[in-house]
Amino acid sequence: MTSGLTAALTLPAVNGAKPTCYLFQGTWAARYTQDGQAWTFDSPFGLPQHVCTLWPGLAATVGHHPYVGAFTAKNEIYFLRPDHLVRYNIAKDKVESADDAKPGNTFKLDHLGEEFLKSLSGAMDTPKGIYLFSGPRWALFQLNTGALRKQGTLSTTVLTGVDGACWLPGADSGYLFREDRYYTCTAADDGTLTAAAGGAITDLWKGAPLRRPLADLYAAGDEARLPVRFRTDLDLSTDAGPSVRTVKAEGTVIQGDGLKTAYGRACWSVSPDGKHAFLTNQRKVVVVDLDKVASGTSVIRGKDVDQALWDAVVTGDGNHLWVTNAGMTDSHGKTLHDVDVSEGGAATDVSHYIGGAAYGLALSAKGDRAFVGVERNAADAAVVVVNTGNGSTISTLPLSDPDGKAPQPIVRRVAVTPDGGTVFAARGDGSVAKLKGTEPLVPIPLTDLTIRDLAVSSDGRQLCAVAPHDDGSVAIVDTETNAVRRAKLPHDAMDPCGVVIDPNGGFAYVAGYIRDAADDAKGRVWVVDLTSAELAATVEADWGAERTPITYLALGWRWA
């Protein structure tokens, strides 16, 4: 599924670094560095990345909604869409503009007509000023005053519109993009812009994001069952929800040694390059090649770690898998494991004593801290914060209420905001404990049952929680106010156990199953709109005669 770019941006050389170019596909971007006249693909893992991977501070804006134009000025990046403008400080990784900022606050658009802003399609910084594009029309502005200097229309015999634009740093020309083609452009002394034919975008920018990241959902099987993959056409580059109420996915039961869920729990972690996944299953970590899932030969290797493995999270570089051990004995338990899962690595396992049965686990966005839900005894539960560099304990956050009341101790799941500033722990009494800095613990009651899974959105503003056999809903918690909304699942939804949130922070995916007319369990994923707190779609696949009750969920993607 090919399409044009949605925006483009060039940044000048700073502190000896080379100029860079970013090509956007919605909320994702590919980064390139300039080498003479060539552009070298320089994205992490050799793939386009979500905006939050490149600029974490944009999670609530450009990482949440696609923006149609971008330009740079005075070490800041401006992102534009018809109804919003973002001014982002690169060095501070911080949005400096007001929440309600709009293009009309910066540029005097009165003389261009309403249609120009409605159809805004690109932006470009040049030595002459800032160009904004709307279809084939362009307008040149002075940034410091916002004054309109000149306007015109590109020759429609050359191109009929602009999907993105960028000027070459230190040069006298730039690029315009339309569908899968690039065009060169120059500006006359009076600012008149002229375009000329160029070529295929991929001639100059190898690996340009002309396709889209589509969601692949990986779910662990229930006890004694194999895991499954839902291969969908859900587009992760846009904030638009599913276009149909029932999403038909290609379903694959994943075969291989060590993949059938043993007694207890199995969970997936997907590597940040989207190429591998790690199934933590009772005592073993199994490494899976996601390109070979349909072949039945996807298992690369398995490693025995210890008994009673519970939760696992892969680091941002994809080289380490941190795993908790819920055993209660000193010989087989009370540990946090650092497993080397790097490609071609030694697959070593370094264990760190944690002082109690280790259940839920989360990592900070930088990967420098692990947050571990620990049960020490029947009345003592805490979140232990661990330095992932050396395994030492940084701090211990007790989970007793401010009045001293100790809830049931099992801390099945832990979630943390991307900045690591707020920790959420699912306690055994059906509440979530909110721990923020030095503030007193805030209990957020959600259910009378055991919470099975938690997920925090990429901007840290929303928390999702699910519990099996609950009232058929997903709890959505505002992480600032602690207000709780509930999104109802279909009446036939059974055992919602796993939840993940898409990279844009707009939708949650909830794993569970239904029973068909023959009383066979069939895996399902329900898509919940976090803005409206309503069910957006049901993802289903044809499992044939296979029984596929599923539990915990991980989100992967492929460019297609």
Side-chain angles (χ1 to χ4, degrees):
M1 182 171 64
T2 59
S3 60
L5 304 173
T6 57
L9 169 72
T10 50
L11 297 179
V14 178
N15 298 327
K18 296 178 180 180
T20 53
C21 176
Y22 295 84
L23 302 183
F24 291 82
Q25 184 60 253
T27 54
W28 296 62
R31 183 177 66 200
Y32 298 82
T33 56
Q34 189 175 21
D35 291 312
Q37 299 300 311
W39 291 100
T40 301
F41 203 167
D42 190 33
S43 285
F45 309 107
L47 291 167
Q49 297 294 315
H50 191 266
V51 164
C52 292
T53 301
L54 303 169
W55 300 298
L58 290 171
T61 53
V62 185
H64 187 55
H65 305 285
Y67 282 65
V68 298
F71 66 88
T72 183
K74 298 180 180 178
N75 299 317
E76 294 182 324
I77 303 175
Y78 289 71
F79 294 93
L80 298 90
R81 51 188 288 164
D83 60 346
H84 197 227
L85 178 145
V86 172
R87 182 167 55 84
Y88 171 74
N89 186 303
I90 302 171
K92 296 180 180 179
D93 186 31
K94 180 181 179 183
V95 172
E96 302 281 11
S97 52
D99 289 345
D100 59 352
K102 294 178 172 55
N105 302 138
T106 299
F107 302 104
K108 297 177 181 178
L109 304 170
D110 299 347
H111 299 295
L112 296 174
E114 293 182 2
E115 192 58 37
F116 186 93
L117 182 59
K118 287 181 181 179
S119 302
L120 188 67
S121 61
M124 177 172 68
D125 55 282
T126 76
K128 307 237 178 249
I130 307 299
Y131 286 87
L132 301 185
F133 296 90
S134 179
R137 294 177 63 192
W138 56 265
L140 175 61
F141 294 88
Q142 194 72 35
L143 181 60
N144 58 351
T145 65
L148 175 65
R149 292 183 54 193
K150 197 171 185 65
Q151 60 176 305
T153 301
L154 297 167
S155 171
T156 54
T157 61
V158 179
L159 77 168
T160 57
V162 173
D163 297 332
C166 60
W167 196 261
L168 289 169
D172 57 3
S173 62
Y175 295 109
L176 306 177
F177 301 96
R178 179 66 173 173
E179 297 178 346
D180 62 352
R181 311 287 294 178
Y182 77 86
Y183 301 80
T184 60
C185 64
T186 55
D189 291 342
D190 66 352
T192 298
L193 199 64
T194 302
I201 292 175
T202 51
D203 288 345
L204 295 186
W205 293 272
K206 304 297 183 184
L210 298 177
R211 297 180 181 272
R212 295 178 181 272
L214 305 182
D216 285 340
L217 297 155
Y218 296 88
D222 204 354
E223 187 175 337
R225 295 290 173 183
L226 288 164
V228 303
R229 179 182 69 186
F230 295 79
R231 171 147 282 185
T232 80
D233 60 359
L234 294 170
D235 185 357
L236 299 177
S237 71
T238 175
D239 56 352
S243 58
V244 293
R245 295 291 290 182
T246 300
V247 175
K248 297 292 185 179
E250 176 190 331
T252 302
V253 178
I254 306 174
Q255 307 281 342
D257 292 341
L259 295 181
K260 185 178 290 186
T261 300
Y263 175 76
R265 159 193 166 95
C267 65
W268 283 107
S269 294
V270 177
S271 64
D273 62 5
K275 295 180 180 179
H276 299 95
F278 314 100
L279 186 71
T280 303
N281 190 3
Q282 182 63 6
R283 63 170 59 241
K284 179 175 288 190
V285 171
V286 183
V287 184
V288 175
D289 183 339
L290 297 183
D291 287 336
K292 297 181 179 179
V293 160
S295 70
T297 60
S298 62
V299 173
I300 298 174
R301 64 178 182 269
K303 179 175 178 59
D304 286 323
V305 177
D306 205 339
Q307 297 177 6
L309 303 183
W310 185 264
D311 207 356
V313 182
V314 67
T315 54
D317 60 8
N319 291 331
H320 297 267
L321 187 74
W322 287 86
V323 185
T324 56
N325 187 330
M328 282 296 289
T329 66
D330 288 341
S331 58
H332 292 289
K334 300 184 180 181
T335 48
L336 176 66
H337 297 266
D338 174 9
V339 182
D340 176 7
V341 292
S342 60
E343 195 166 357
T348 55
D349 164 30
V350 179
S351 62
H352 305 284
Y353 184 74
I354 207 76
Y359 286 93
L361 173 67
L363 294 182
S364 61
K366 293 181 180 179
D368 58 341
R369 287 170 292 165
F371 300 82
V372 188
V374 175
E375 174 193 348
R376 291 195 176 92
N377 56 55
D380 184 7
V383 172
V384 177
V385 185
V386 175
N387 181 331
T388 56
N390 56 25
S392 64
T393 296
I394 298 172
S395 61
T396 298
L397 311 174
L399 290 179
S400 298
D401 286 351
D403 60 6
K405 176 185 176 182
Q408 295 177 17
I410 296 178
V411 192
R412 288 184 179 271
R413 295 295 279 165
V414 173
V416 63
T417 53
D419 62 1
T422 307
V423 181
F424 300 92
R427 305 190 298 184
D429 64 350
S431 69
V432 168
K434 175 182 176 181
L435 302 144
K436 183 175 183 179
T438 59
E439 298 177 9
L441 179 149
V442 176
I444 305 173
L446 296 180
T447 177
D448 293 332
L449 303 169
T450 300
I451 296 169
R452 293 288 291 272
D453 210 0
L454 297 175
V456 173
S457 60
S458 55
D459 60 6
R461 295 182 177 182
Q462 298 193 85
L463 172 78
C464 285
V466 294
H469 307 297
D470 205 347
D471 62 353
S473 68
V474 178
I476 304 170
V477 181
D478 184 308
T479 59
E480 282 297 319
T481 66
N482 308 325
V484 180
R485 297 176 296 154
R486 292 192 177 272
K488 292 290 291 182
L489 297 177
H491 70 278
D492 57 352
M494 300 191 69
D495 277 7
C497 286
V499 61
V500 293
I501 298 177
D502 77 337
N504 304 329
F507 295 89
Y509 300 87
V510 180
Y513 62 92
I514 65 166
R515 290 198 178 277
D516 64 13
D519 202 32
D520 286 332
K522 300 295 184 183
R524 292 288 186 268
V525 173
W526 298 285
V527 185
V528 173
D529 186 328
L530 298 183
T531 301
S532 64
E534 294 181 351
L535 179 70
T538 296
V539 182
E540 61 181 46
D542 181 7
W543 304 111
E546 292 276 359
R547 289 174 55 85
T548 55
I550 57 175
T551 55
Y552 297 96
L553 194 65
L555 176 64
W557 63 91
R558 69 193 188 281
W559 285 88

